[in-house]
Amino acid sequence: MSFENLSDRERAVLSHLIDHYVSSATPVGSRVLANQYYKDLSSASIRNILQDLEEQGLVAQPHTSAGRVPTDTGYRLYVDTLLKAEPLTESERERIRSSVSGAGKSIDAILGQTTRILAEIAHQMGVTVAPKFDQGILKRLQLVRISSERILVAIVVKSGLAQSVILEVEARIKDDELTTLESILNEKLSGLKLGEIRRTISARLSSVKGNARLLKLFIDTESVVWNQESDSQAHVVGAENLMSQPEFADRENLLEFVRTVEERNKLIDAVNGVGGAPTSFGAPGAPGVVVTIGSENPTPEVKRCSVVSAEYKVGRVKGRVALIGPTRMRYSRLVSIVEYTAQSLTDKLRMTDND
Amino acid sequence: MSFENLSDRERAVLSHLIDHYVSSATPVGSRVLANQYYKDLSSASIRNILQDLEEQGLVAQPHTSAGRVPTDTGYRLYVDTLLKAEPLTESERERIRSSVSGAGKSIDAILGQTTRILAEIAHQMGVTVAPKFDQGILKRLQLVRISSERILVAIVVKSGLAQSVILEVEARIKDDELTTLESILNEKLSGLKLGEIRRTISARLSSVKGNARLLKLFIDTESVVWNQESDSQAHVVGAENLMSQPEFADRENLLEFVRTVEERNKLIDAVNGVGGAPTSFGAPGAPGVVVTIGSENPTPEVKRCSVVSAEYKVGRVKGRVALIGPTRMRYSRLVSIVEYTAQSLTDKLRMTDND
DNA sequence: TATTAGCGCTTTGGCAGGAGGACTGCCAAT
DNA sequence: ATTGGCAGTCCTCCTGCCAAAGCGCTAATA
């Protein structure tokens, strides 16, 4: 559906309506619109325009004789063609930057801190999804004996990510067996993508002779060893920011929402399963921001929410940072926040990255 | 305050009142009490008894002409002297047992699974606090190079726990330096408690010569390396179980509660900062269960909740598993659940433990 | 042709008032 | 000690009513 037939004035009214609705959270009527933005136009004229907008499905009224509220389509038009990214103040940028880079060394700590600042500065729920190791290239693999029947497998990925898993072995293994295995594995597997390894490991190791029991462990437990996500798949901060919004006034919604938040998978899907192409709102070269509005979300649990997300990178491995809030959100501002945060995060992770 | 002056009948009435209130969630009046439990006694008599109980501060009425509700003191008396632990059915026990032992190998996975089954079977919020490494004895320490400027430190604790930290070093280190350092550290530190190491490391390593820069890293970053909690300090599952309770009907409470849950520290305090002595409700030798009721909690954020918790062990390292719910909870059942779960967990962790 | 003013209609939210219910507390009788 | 009964209290729910906000439509106007 294209909206080329919309006059400039209609677009302007839609834009004002959204602006006003975003901050007031109540349906906005022709009167306020006329008084506040169109001193030289009467409310009656605005009413006509509103009627047109309604026919196009861009706004709706909760009930006869209530003001208008933007529809998801309305927001979409706004985001695509009307929105002007609201630049962050220098102090805000500084706050994000220092917060992201000030965090600890582990990727987990960095993401945690990032999520926190994101949620705080945007007053929304912040979500970051840890990078998928799948695309990471195995640099080296190291086996450390923990106890007689347990070994720790350290998987080192190019660009400095590391992951450790504890494996349980049924019977004792000698130290030299372990060292041999380690070098075999490194020889056969390093330089490959983790995802590749997962798919092809049994073929690659079939020719190897040696402690079959031990080898089998690596092949069988593929999922455990090779299918690792980062430490914790997602960080979620600031659910209470959302819950205090009037959108979640009624108990039912609220409970369902909490259930979704607890079951992180749905959230991760919502952040990752983006449909549209990323748009760059800011400086060229900046990470593209994707906005998914309400019912556009493939995940039904967040049908009442919008997701603003962008990609960040650690080497070739990718993750996403996102803000989730009610569809009634300050897109112009959140888009900038997410973009800048993703950028800072990528920078930070590049700085600590050297393979 | 002692309640020895209470007649048996008064105790019985209190007990019935609590039972009824726990399932109905509404103030219970003399009529229902008489009809349901005392076919040979009139409501008027019950009224007299209730008056007595109220004078003792064991029950209260929200307003004149409402039924009675147990006070925290009332619950306390109930838990201490009236409660009979409700034995779990064999299928329930089986469910807990298999769930706990079926979980993966890493302690994090085990605790996660345990928390889940706990919350699910009790319909409350489950919380498990990861063991404090502080009391663990360092078995071995291993250094793995990740990239030129990063090393992974694997800390292996007696009884099979392991923990890894990534350290960042300013300049390149040679491989042999690393091996030397590793053996020095192992020689000087293994066999000591982690807490001990944290406190005395600088003294212990002062005499060592060698790569000073590198050594300093271990001494300076004491907090990072030696102060490790387990992977994630606490697991929390089932917040929505609580939120659907009528206790959290009003928005204010609910929001505050969510805030507390998000900020895990408060929850951990609530679970750990127990005042009373543990009581064993079940089989002798079973872990002692601690019940902390409402305002007894040192943490004001959970003043409206009760915490039922018990200790579990991994070798000499200890953690807690807990259920948190409104003071109106089925103590008799929850006590059994927590006790059995803690027991199963300790068993599971002993089984996978061999140093 | 675009805009405006005005009128009638609809819906919501809040407030007042009354009926009904669920208790308690007390008292006198057993 | 226990009981039935009664007066009094407090909450909850329902109803009716009214004002406010807004819209759509139409007729008048520039």
Side-chain angles (χ1 to χ4, degrees):
Chain A
M1 189 178 340
S2 73
F3 296 100
E4 288 146 13
N5 46 340
L6 278 183
S7 72
D8 282 354
R9 191 161 67 182
E10 287 171 325
R11 289 168 190 272
V13 168
L14 174 61
S15 181
H16 288 142
L17 184 140
I18 290 184
D19 285 348
H20 196 275
Y21 180 64
V22 162
S23 59
S24 75
T26 56
V28 13
S30 54
R31 248 177 75 92
V32 280
L33 234 32
N35 289 342
Q36 198 143 352
Y37 304 97
Y38 293 91
K39 290 243 185 279
D40 52 346
L41 222 56
S42 82
S43 69
S45 310
I46 302 289
R47 275 205 287 282
N48 293 332
I49 300 174
L50 288 177
Q51 255 177 325
D52 294 347
L53 290 176
E54 182 154 14
E55 273 162 30
Q56 314 255 6
L58 297 169
V59 299
Q61 32 187 343
H63 57 85
T64 13
S65 95
R68 276 7 187 259
V69 161
T71 62
D72 288 354
T73 340
Y75 282 124
R76 168 51 60 199
L77 180 64
Y78 174 81
V79 168
D80 283 347
T81 73
L82 270 28
L83 172 149
K84 277 178 50 192
E86 190 175 306
L88 303 179
T89 68
E90 181 48 42
S91 81
E92 285 168 332
R93 291 165 150 258
E94 165 59 21
R95 205 163 141 222
I96 293 177
R97 222 181 312 128
S98 71
S99 195
V100 168
S101 61
K105 279 102 207 210
S106 84
I107 188 152
D108 222 50
I110 295 174
L111 288 184
Q113 181 64 18
T114 301
T115 318
R116 213 161 300 127
I117 191 68
L118 199 57
E120 199 182 307
I121 218 163
H123 300 295
Q124 302 286 351
M125 186 171 72
V127 179
T128 58
V129 180
K132 281 256 187 220
F133 266 54
D134 240 36
Q135 292 301 307
I137 292 182
L138 179 66
K139 190 176 167 197
R140 193 155 23 83
L141 186 148
Q142 194 137 349
L143 303 180
V144 183
R145 141 156 301 125
I146 291 180
S147 68
S148 50
E149 297 180 355
R150 281 168 142 191
I151 53 180
L152 183 148
V153 185
I155 301 168
V156 183
V157 177
K158 274 204 177 150
S159 72
L161 287 175
Q163 187 69 16
S164 65
V165 197
I166 296 178
L167 273 193
E168 214 156 312
V169 293
E170 311 85 21
R172 334 215 129 213
I173 336 163
K174 302 201 202 77
D175 271 357
D176 57 338
E177 280 182 310
L178 213 58
T179 354
T180 322
L181 180 62
E182 188 179 293
S183 28
I184 293 178
L185 288 173
N186 275 312
E187 185 187 322
K188 295 273 179 191
L189 301 178
S190 61
L192 298 174
K193 282 187 193 162
L194 254 51
E196 217 167 336
I197 295 180
R198 181 156 46 82
R199 284 190 304 276
T200 62
I201 184 168
S202 72
R204 285 177 194 278
L205 294 185
S206 60
S207 67
V208 177
K209 41 194 155 299
N211 189 327
R213 259 201 339 266
L214 212 45
L215 266 177
K216 195 156 172 304
L217 210 62
F218 278 83
I219 299 172
D220 280 359
T221 52
E222 37 155 322
S223 51
V224 182
V225 180
W226 307 111
N227 207 11
Q228 284 295 311
E229 313 286 335
S230 196
D231 275 46
S232 49
Q233 302 188 358
H235 295 256
V236 181
V237 175
E240 84 268 18
N241 288 339
L242 285 207
M243 300 184 23
S244 48
Q245 298 287 349
E247 275 66 6
F248 292 89
D250 96 79
R251 261 183 110 53
E252 270 321 301
N253 279 23
L254 204 151
L255 280 182
E256 196 200 324
F257 173 70
V258 173
R259 233 167 270 139
T260 311
V261 172
E262 274 217 344
E263 196 193 325
R264 308 246 152 144
N265 290 352
K266 300 282 182 176
L267 280 189
I268 296 177
D269 288 353
V271 172
N272 278 334
V274 290
T279 319
S280 182
F281 293 92
V289 174
V290 178
V291 180
T292 315
I293 297 164
S295 53
E296 295 174 2
N297 276 297
T299 321
E301 280 78 6
V302 289
K303 268 214 177 350
R304 303 160 164 280
C305 294
S306 285
V307 180
V308 180
S309 73
E311 191 175 88
Y312 68 87
K313 295 184 202 150
V314 203
R316 80 184 54 218
V317 185
K318 292 162 186 168
R320 294 193 79 80
V321 356
L323 281 171
I324 300 184
T327 50
R328 177 184 63 79
M329 56 161 62
R330 288 179 62 183
Y331 294 94
S332 50
R333 186 174 152 75
L334 300 199
V335 155
S336 298
I337 294 178
V338 167
E339 184 162 54
Y340 191 73
T341 307
Q343 184 62 60
S344 306
L345 189 53
T346 300
D347 288 350
K348 161 74 174 174
L349 293 173
R350 183 172 27 243
M351 276 172 52
T352 61
D353 155 23
N354 37 299
D355 35 326
Chain B
M1 194 179 332
S2 73
F3 295 99
E4 288 146 13
N5 46 339
L6 280 182
S7 73
D8 283 353
R9 191 161 66 186
E10 286 170 327
R11 289 167 191 272
V13 168
L14 175 62
S15 181
H16 288 141
L17 183 141
I18 289 183
D19 285 348
H20 197 275
Y21 180 64
V22 162
S23 59
S24 75
T26 55
V28 17
S30 54
R31 249 177 74 92
V32 280
L33 234 30
N35 288 343
Q36 197 143 354
Y37 304 97
Y38 294 93
K39 289 243 186 276
D40 52 345
L41 222 56
S42 81
S43 69
S45 311
I46 302 289
R47 276 206 286 283
N48 294 331
I49 299 174
L50 287 177
Q51 256 177 324
D52 294 347
L53 290 177
E54 182 153 14
E55 273 162 29
Q56 314 254 6
L58 297 169
V59 300
Q61 30 187 343
H63 58 85
T64 15
S65 94
R68 288 341 198 273
V69 160
T71 62
D72 288 354
T73 341
Y75 281 123
R76 169 51 59 199
L77 179 64
Y78 175 81
V79 168
D80 284 347
T81 74
L82 269 28
L83 172 150
K84 277 178 49 192
E86 190 175 307
L88 304 177
T89 69
E90 181 48 42
S91 81
E92 286 168 332
R93 291 164 151 259
E94 165 59 20
R95 205 161 141 224
I96 293 178
R97 223 181 311 129
S98 71
S99 196
V100 169
S101 60
K105 279 100 206 208
S106 83
I107 188 152
D108 221 50
I110 296 174
L111 289 185
Q113 181 64 17
T114 302
T115 318
R116 214 162 300 125
I117 190 69
L118 198 59
E120 198 182 306
I121 217 163
H123 301 294
Q124 301 287 351
M125 185 171 73
V127 178
T128 58
V129 180
K132 281 257 188 220
F133 267 55
D134 241 36
Q135 292 299 307
I137 292 182
L138 179 68
K139 190 176 166 196
R140 192 153 24 82
L141 186 148
Q142 195 138 348
L143 303 180
V144 182
R145 138 156 306 125
I146 292 179
S147 67
S148 51
E149 296 179 356
R150 281 166 142 193
I151 52 180
L152 182 147
V153 184
I155 301 168
V156 183
V157 177
K158 273 202 178 157
S159 72
L161 287 176
Q163 186 69 15
S164 64
V165 198
I166 296 178
L167 271 194
E168 214 156 309
V169 292
E170 311 84 23
R172 334 214 131 214
I173 337 163
K174 301 198 201 83
D175 270 357
D176 57 337
E177 279 182 310
L178 212 58
T179 355
T180 322
L181 179 61
E182 187 178 295
S183 28
I184 292 177
L185 288 173
N186 274 312
E187 186 187 323
K188 296 273 180 189
L189 301 178
S190 61
L192 299 174
K193 283 189 193 160
L194 255 50
E196 216 167 338
I197 294 180
R198 181 156 45 81
R199 284 190 304 275
T200 62
I201 184 170
S202 71
R204 284 176 196 280
L205 295 185
S206 60
S207 66
V208 177
K209 42 195 154 298
N211 190 326
R213 260 200 340 265
L214 212 45
L215 265 177
K216 195 156 172 304
L217 210 61
F218 279 82
I219 299 173
D220 280 359
T221 53
E222 37 157 322
S223 49
V224 182
V225 180
W226 307 111
N227 207 13
Q228 285 293 311
E229 312 287 333
S230 195
D231 274 45
S232 48
Q233 302 188 359
H235 295 256
V236 181
V237 175
E240 83 269 17
N241 286 340
L242 285 207
M243 300 185 21
S244 47
Q245 298 287 349
E247 276 65 8
F248 291 90
D250 95 79
R251 263 184 109 51
E252 269 321 301
N253 279 22
L254 205 152
L255 280 181
E256 195 200 324
F257 173 70
V258 173
R259 233 167 270 139
T260 310
V261 171
E262 274 218 343
E263 197 193 326
R264 309 245 151 144
N265 289 352
K266 299 282 182 175
L267 280 188
I268 297 177
D269 288 353
V271 172
N272 279 334
V274 290
T279 320
S280 182
F281 293 91
V289 174
V290 178
V291 179
T292 315
I293 298 163
S295 52
E296 295 174 3
N297 276 297
T299 321
E301 280 80 3
V302 290
K303 268 216 178 347
R304 301 159 166 282
C305 295
S306 286
V307 180
V308 180
S309 73
E311 191 175 87
Y312 69 85
K313 296 184 203 150
V314 201
R316 80 184 55 219
V317 185
K318 293 162 186 168
R320 295 193 79 80
V321 356
L323 282 171
I324 300 184
T327 50
R328 177 185 62 80
M329 56 160 65
R330 288 180 62 184
Y331 294 95
S332 50
R333 187 172 151 75
L334 300 199
V335 155
S336 298
I337 294 177
V338 167
E339 183 163 53
Y340 191 73
T341 307
Q343 184 65 60
S344 306
L345 189 53
T346 300
D347 287 351
K348 161 73 174 173
L349 293 173
R350 184 174 26 245
M351 275 172 54
T352 61
D353 154 22
N354 36 300
D355 35 324

